[in-house]
């Protein structure tokens, strides 16, 4: 074969490569068929961050990881949790790279160009989809964790840290769902008061430093802060920031805004009270005109609503409780007025009155974006414990909650806009058992604490997976309870969409792009 022929073949191959590349990368024309052209495929990589669980020497923490069985995945992959600052020892399949959650996964070097310290052993390595895996730590030196799931373990990978603290500030049951890194967070419900010790934990999963700004907003607007701007979070590490050190003002109800100037982090607030226990406060759903705060425990003795509007415009919200029988307006709290840029709080008392309930916040007049959360108390006198529930995003396609036990687990479902059908699956137990499912109908404007399906032969803890079967938005929250020495410990986690699938547009070769 002569050189001319080789050149012709090479040119043809190059043309084909360019044609394929152009066809894959040209912007699709918007039109009625655009949505139908995208296929929903399982994600191939998921990254999560877990903050350091506790500084108490009495802390006992269980980490539970779970991936629901997902159609369309390959029979390979891995999932593990590693202490921040250490790199994975896994040498398995890397084909999952490219999902939106792996931004910042680079060359295994630290921020100074050196190799990260290799992990001797992950704290937790996922065993198989459909079955929870549990790891444990004790004491106050447990580090933040970075988690990565690939292949069959990636779609819907869910991890939770549940901590029991027997005594001291923040004693009780604390639970936090590990989250993907992001660039902005809102936390209404924190405090800088003398009886509270609130930390915002910033965890950076990437190989370059992140820079964060922390803003505080109280009853009169922005609080004067001293060192809240330009906080550096080193690569592959976590920084707990004590909020009371950022300002001299002592206020009971404050909203924290975390804005990431460069890079990305995972963020959560650990709120510890000297007398009322403590829990983790997850970020509120994005600012919106209407919000849902699901799953307020039916035996709540006090509920405090905290809301903030990020802009300069005042907001008036209609406050309703979605009960098992329908929407109820709390007496004396029909509306809530929030001044622009300020944080407002109101005590709703025992608003649930022994029944399942969720707060529905809607515009009383014009729609103004707000963020919100509630602080919930259970118990009486010296035996009270607290937890937080932020405004939540809907379940979407699917969501999971882990670390459930045969007793002490409550799942609340609410459908504020219309009647919905929901499938709930209880997985096999971490130590054995067989999965079980049940379908429920949730009427419009109601909240139901559903009777959970029980895995046959359950051993250990299990996962709950919630899948709406109708298009009506469904919101969900799971409550764990555990009583130790008469103190009613509890923690509540909302169940947003697990982002287990991603829309992938179809692509065809189109030589016409080369003629433009």
């Amino acid at each position: 074969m002569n050189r001319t022929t080789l050149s012709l073949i090479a040119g043809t191959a190059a043309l084909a490569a360019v044609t394929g590349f152009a066809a894959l990368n040209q912007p699709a024309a918007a039109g009625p068929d655009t949505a139908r052209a995208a296929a929903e495929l399982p994600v191939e990589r998921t990254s999560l961050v877990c903050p350091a669980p506790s500084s108490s020497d009495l802390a006992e923490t269980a980490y539970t990881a779970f991936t629901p069985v997902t159609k369309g995945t390959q029979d390979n992959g891995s999932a593990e949790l590693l202490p921040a600052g250490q790199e994975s020892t896994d040498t398995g399949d890397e084909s999952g790279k490219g999902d939106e959650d792996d931004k910042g996964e680079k060359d295994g070097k630290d921020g100074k160009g050196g190799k990260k310290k290799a992990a001797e052993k992950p704290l937790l390595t996922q065993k198989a989809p459909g079955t929870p895996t549990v790891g444990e730590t004790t004491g106050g030196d447990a580090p933040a964790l970075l988690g990565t799931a690939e292949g069959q373990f990636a779609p819907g990978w869910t991890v939770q840290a549940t901590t029991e603290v027997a005594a001291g500030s923040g004693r009780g049951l604390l639970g936090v769902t590990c989250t993907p890194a992001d660039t902005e967070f809102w936390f209404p419900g924190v405090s800088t008061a003398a009886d509270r010790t609130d930390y915002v934990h910033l965890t950076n999963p990437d190989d370059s430093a992140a820079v964060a700004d922390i803003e505080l907003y109280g009853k009169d607007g922005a609080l004067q802060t001293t060192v809240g701007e330009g906080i550096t979070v080193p690569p592959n590490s976590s920084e707990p920031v004590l909020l009371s050190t950022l300002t001299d003002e002592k206020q009971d109800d404050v909203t924290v805004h975390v804005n990431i100037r460069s890079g990305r982090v995972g963020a959560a607030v650990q709120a510890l009270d000297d007398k009322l226990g403590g829990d983790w406060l997850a970020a509120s759903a994005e600012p919106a005109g209407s919000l849902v705060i699901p799953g307020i425990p039916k035996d709540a003795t006090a509920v405090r609503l905290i809301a903030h509007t990020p802009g300069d415009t005042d907001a008036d919200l209609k406050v309703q409780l979605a009960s098992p029988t329908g929407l109820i307006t709390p007496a004396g709290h029909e509306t809530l007025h929030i001044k622009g840029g300020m944080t407002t709080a109101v005590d709703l008392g025992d608003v649930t009155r022994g029944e399942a309930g969720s707060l529905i916040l809607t515009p009383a007049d014009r729609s103004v974006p707000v963020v919100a959360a509630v602080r919930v108390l259970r118990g009486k006198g010296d035996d009270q414990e607290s937890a937080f529930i932020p405004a939540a995003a809907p379940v979407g396609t699917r969501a999971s909650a882990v670390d459930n036990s045969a007793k002490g687990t409550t799942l609340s479902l609410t459908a504020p806009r219309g009647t919905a059908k929901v499938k709930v699956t209880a997985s096999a137990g971490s130590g054995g058992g067989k999965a079980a499912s049940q379908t429920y109908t949730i009427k419009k404007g109601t909240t139901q604490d559903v009777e959970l399906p029980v895995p046959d032969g359950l051993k250990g803890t299990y996962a709950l997976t919630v899948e709406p079967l109708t298009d009506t938005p469904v919101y969900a929250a799971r409550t764990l309870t555990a009583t130790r020495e008469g103190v009613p410990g509890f923690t509540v986690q909302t169940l947003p969409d697990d982002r287990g699938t991603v829309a992938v547009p179809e692509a065809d070769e189109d030589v016409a792009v080369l003629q433009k």
Side-chain angles (χ1 to χ4, degrees), residues 319-456:
V319 180
Q320 292 179 296
L321 181 76
S323 73
T325 56
L327 293 174
I328 299 172
T329 300
H333 302 291
E334 293 82 3
T335 60
L336 179 66
H337 179 73
I338 313 167
K339 294 183 179 180
M342 302 181 187
T343 297
T344 299
V346 59
D347 284 319
L348 301 178
D350 57 343
V351 64
T352 56
R353 298 186 181 277
E355 295 186 321
S358 302
L359 282 181
I360 312 297
L361 308 178
T362 54
D365 188 5
R366 57 179 174 174
S367 180
V368 177
V370 296
V371 292
V374 296
R375 182 186 186 184
V376 179
L377 297 182
R378 292 175 68 241
K380 296 180 180 180
D382 294 336
D383 293 336
Q384 287 183 301
E385 225 269 87
S386 58
F388 297 86
I389 311 174
V395 172
T397 301
R398 181 184 64 184
S400 296
V402 298
D403 199 22
N404 304 287
S405 57
K407 296 181 179 180
T409 297
T410 302
L411 177 66
S412 294
L413 303 174
T414 186
R417 301 178 189 172
T419 298
K421 288 188 177 181
V422 183
K423 179 183 177 182
V424 177
T425 300
S427 75
S430 56
K434 184 178 180 181
S437 298
Q438 181 68 42
T439 300
Y440 307 90
T441 298
I442 311 299
K443 294 182 179 180
K444 178 182 178 180
T446 69
T447 296
Q448 305 291 334
D449 285 352
V450 299
E451 184 175 350
L452 295 174
V454 179
D456 295 332

Side-chain angles (χ1 to χ4, degrees), residues 10 15 76 84 101 122 158 196 212 230 243 292 301 358 370 373 387 390 422 455 494:
L15 176 62
N76 59 8
D101 285 335
T158 302
R196 282 273 290 273
L243 295 178
V292 176
T301 54
S358 302
V370 296
V422 183
T494 60

Side-chain angles (χ1 to χ4, degrees), residues 276-310:
L276 301 175
D279 205 352
W280 288 94
L281 170 60
S284 171
E286 293 183 1
S290 297
L291 298 173
V292 176
I293 302 176
I296 300 173
K298 63 182 181 181
D299 60 350
T301 54
V303 176
R304 186 170 180 84
L305 171 63
I306 307 98
H308 171 78
T309 175

Side-chain angles (χ1 to χ4, degrees), residues 7 46 123 136-137 155 181 190 392:
S7 299
T46 297
L123 184 141
E136 298 179 347
T137 63
V190 306

